[in-house]
Amino acid sequence: MATTAKTTASKKPRKARAARKPKIAVVPDTPEVTGNAALLARREAAVPRGVASAAPVFADRAENAELWDVEGNRYIDFAGGIAVLNTGHRHPAVIAAAKAQEDKYTHTSFQVVPYEPYVALAEKLNAIAPGEFAKKSLLVTTGAEAVENAVKIARAATGRPGIIAFTGGYHGRTLLTLGMTGKISPYKKNVGPFPADIFRAPFPSVRDGITVEDALTGLKNLFLTDAQPDRVAAIIIEPVLGEGGYTPVPFEMMTALREICDTHGILLIADEIQAGFGRTGTMFAIEHSGVVPDLITVAKSMAGGYPIAGVIGRADVMDAMEPGGLGGTYGGNPVACAAALAAIDALENEGLLDRSLELGAHFRTRFAEIGARTAPWRMWDIRGLGAMLAVEFVTDFETAAPDGALVRSICAHALKRGLILLGCGMHGNALRIMVPLTASDEIIEEGLGIFEAALADAVAEQGV
């Protein structure tokens, strides 16, 4: 049946609607930055408690080895953003290089449109890494990402799944890297299960009476009980334990690991994320041992505060992955690449490697003096390589019981007096030194003076 379309003329006229008032979006007032307490309250409301902060103060500006909070309080920085600032806060050459790159472009994704800073940094890393063989470098964004990629590359190159790590080692907070990290609290607590085919070997420990021979026996027993050698892709180790207590790997153990890897066709990965780029007095900490690894993971002080990380390795090993198998949207950001090239140049040309050795010797001497004078029988060990040093505290020398409470107290008293310190170690009873290598002698001495006063405060607080 035919239908007749209605025309506008047949419709009843509608009543005019009252003009509506436009809706105005309510924009909350931007909270004023009034001080540390106000910012701390905002932080607690907005940021998960799992993201811990060592200091309850908020940064406003920083320069070299000094930092000022939002209330104008000045601090000497012996933490260096967790060993990221070997070239100091805002090194002029690093800042200039980053700004110059920002004036060109900040991102294209190397997987889409590549750029020269990525290639230049890869070339530089290949040149400075130990080993007289062809190398290639992958650039990513974080240390954990570097470790995960090193594992992926090792598995692809060997066709094997197994990874062996060590007690006390720290390799990241992602699930795969947590499987390799050898410390439960706070990193691994309540977040398992972890990936399979990751095995743990003992690390030499004076405290626990584990010698190098004992550790190597433990590794050989691991081959007999759980980790079939011809199914192990890589052994990963920090040349100096980071979160585990700033304990260097004995050189004879590193040599033995190289021999074991060569015997069984296993790749040796040096995790240099915290120890690299001049912290120990050489560009890479493993250079002290004379051992050459197959892969090196890097991050932290590579770019003077800009986020970048990477894997350096044998060219044939690095080429094991198919095209597209490596990468990441932000990996090798061009601004961070430019900053890294400038930071490495500063390390090489401003005498900062020698400076690390000088600082290490000076800190050892001063810590021994301070310990004997201010806290007798409490400073149990002073250890490390170059300026990568830790001081371990105990309740007394007779029992050598770890005293993590004393270390927490020292850090708190130091912050009140204007010094930023961080602890580490399996028992949290070691203080680690990560002061910028660019810090002046005057700043170093001022910081050591504050440390001694904070140590005295902490000892008095315990009533010992």
Side-chain angles (χ1 to χ4, degrees):
M1 187 171 86
T3 58
T4 304
K6 293 182 179 179
T7 64
T8 54
S10 65
K11 294 181 180 179
K12 293 182 179 180
R14 294 180 178 178
K15 294 181 180 179
R17 292 180 178 178
R20 292 181 178 178
K21 294 181 180 180
K23 292 183 178 179
I24 300 175
V26 179
V27 179
D29 293 335
T30 302
E32 293 183 5
V33 178
T34 56
N36 291 314
L39 283 169
L40 186 60
R42 288 171 55 193
R43 178 207 187 288
E44 290 176 349
V47 180
R49 69 188 187 99
V51 183
S53 296
V57 299
F58 285 74
D60 179 62
R61 60 189 179 91
E63 199 74 33
N64 199 359
E66 298 172 274
L67 182 147
W68 288 263
D69 71 14
V70 293
E71 296 176 1
N73 301 305
R74 169 183 172 267
Y75 302 87
I76 294 172
D77 189 356
F78 273 20
I82 317 181
V84 169
L85 299 168
N86 289 350
T87 53
H89 289 278
R90 302 183 65 253
H91 187 288
V94 173
I95 297 299
K99 286 184 176 179
Q101 178 57 48
E102 286 175 347
D103 287 339
K104 296 178 180 179
Y105 54 88
T106 61
H107 176 77
T108 66
S109 186
F110 193 74
Q111 288 79 241
V112 179
V113 179
Y115 37 84
E116 192 268 346
Y118 188 116
V119 177
L121 180 55
E123 290 171 336
K124 185 64 177 178
L125 295 174
N126 298 337
I128 65 176
E132 298 300 322
F133 45 76
K135 307 182 193 76
K136 291 189 176 182
S137 290
L138 162 72
L139 300 179
V140 289
T141 307
T142 71
E145 191 181 1
V147 172
E148 292 222 3
N149 276 280
V151 169
K152 187 165 64 174
I153 292 166
R155 285 175 168 172
T158 63
R160 305 173 176 184
I163 302 294
I164 295 176
F166 290 85
T167 302
Y170 177 85
H171 303 289
R173 288 182 173 92
T174 59
L175 276 177
L176 176 59
T177 57
L178 278 178
M180 291 180 276
T181 291
K183 184 180 178 183
I184 289 179
S185 185
Y187 311 117
K188 303 173 71 167
K189 191 173 182 180
N190 300 328
V191 294
F194 301 105
D197 287 308
I198 295 174
F199 308 95
R200 188 150 339 274
F203 187 89
S205 170
V206 174
R207 165 174 292 286
D208 297 326
I210 301 173
T211 66
V212 169
E213 184 178 358
D214 294 334
L216 293 173
T217 298
L219 177 58
K220 291 173 184 176
N221 287 337
L222 185 62
F223 285 151
L224 295 173
T225 59
D226 292 301
Q228 184 178 323
D230 61 5
R231 285 181 53 79
V232 175
I235 293 176
I236 185 168
I237 192 166
E238 297 172 281
V240 182
L241 291 187
E243 304 300 312
Y246 271 38
T247 304
V249 178
F251 298 159
E252 61 267 33
M253 172 141 180
M254 195 65 82
T255 299
L257 290 178
R258 178 71 275 177
E259 293 172 355
I260 290 168
C261 286
D262 292 341
T263 298
H264 295 288
I266 297 169
L267 297 176
L268 180 61
I269 303 174
D271 185 341
E272 293 268 0
I273 287 168
Q274 189 159 171
F277 296 97
R279 189 74 244 163
T280 66
T282 52
M283 195 63 77
F284 301 98
I286 200 169
E287 294 179 71
H288 290 278
S289 70
V291 170
V292 177
D294 301 293
L295 297 169
I296 302 174
T297 56
V298 292
K300 289 194 180 286
S301 273
M302 179 163 64
Y306 287 83
I308 193 167
V311 183
I312 314 165
R314 294 179 177 275
D316 58 327
V317 174
M318 295 295 290
D319 277 342
M321 295 290 298
E322 293 293 323
L326 298 175
T329 302
Y330 294 105
N333 173 269
V335 178
C337 286
L341 287 164
I344 295 170
D345 182 71
L347 288 166
E348 291 181 323
N349 298 321
E350 295 180 14
L352 296 182
L353 300 183
D354 289 339
R355 175 65 170 165
S356 174
L357 297 175
E358 294 168 4
L359 285 176
H362 182 69
F363 271 108
R364 284 179 181 275
T365 299
R366 293 286 282 114
F367 280 142
E369 295 171 353
I370 290 169
R373 182 170 56 239
T374 310
W377 315 112
R378 307 301 299 279
M379 195 180 285
W380 188 70
D381 192 22
I382 303 168
R383 59 174 177 265
L385 290 175
M388 188 174 182
L389 286 176
V391 183
E392 183 172 353
F393 289 92
V394 296
T395 57
D396 59 86
F397 274 21
E398 185 175 346
T399 64
D403 198 343
L406 180 64
V407 167
R408 290 190 294 273
S409 180
I410 293 169
C411 291
H413 284 290
L415 189 69
K416 292 176 185 176
R417 290 177 174 272
L419 175 67
I420 301 172
L421 289 171
L422 285 181
C424 66
M426 296 296 286
H427 305 282
N429 66 315
L431 280 174
R432 50 182 158 166
I433 300 300
M434 300 170 284
V435 65
L437 305 177
T438 50
S440 67
D441 291 344
E442 293 76 17
I443 288 289
I444 295 294
E445 281 307 308
E446 185 182 354
L448 284 167
I450 296 173
F451 164 72
E452 181 166 11
L455 176 58
D457 290 341
V459 170
E461 188 174 71
Q462 284 192 342
V464 179

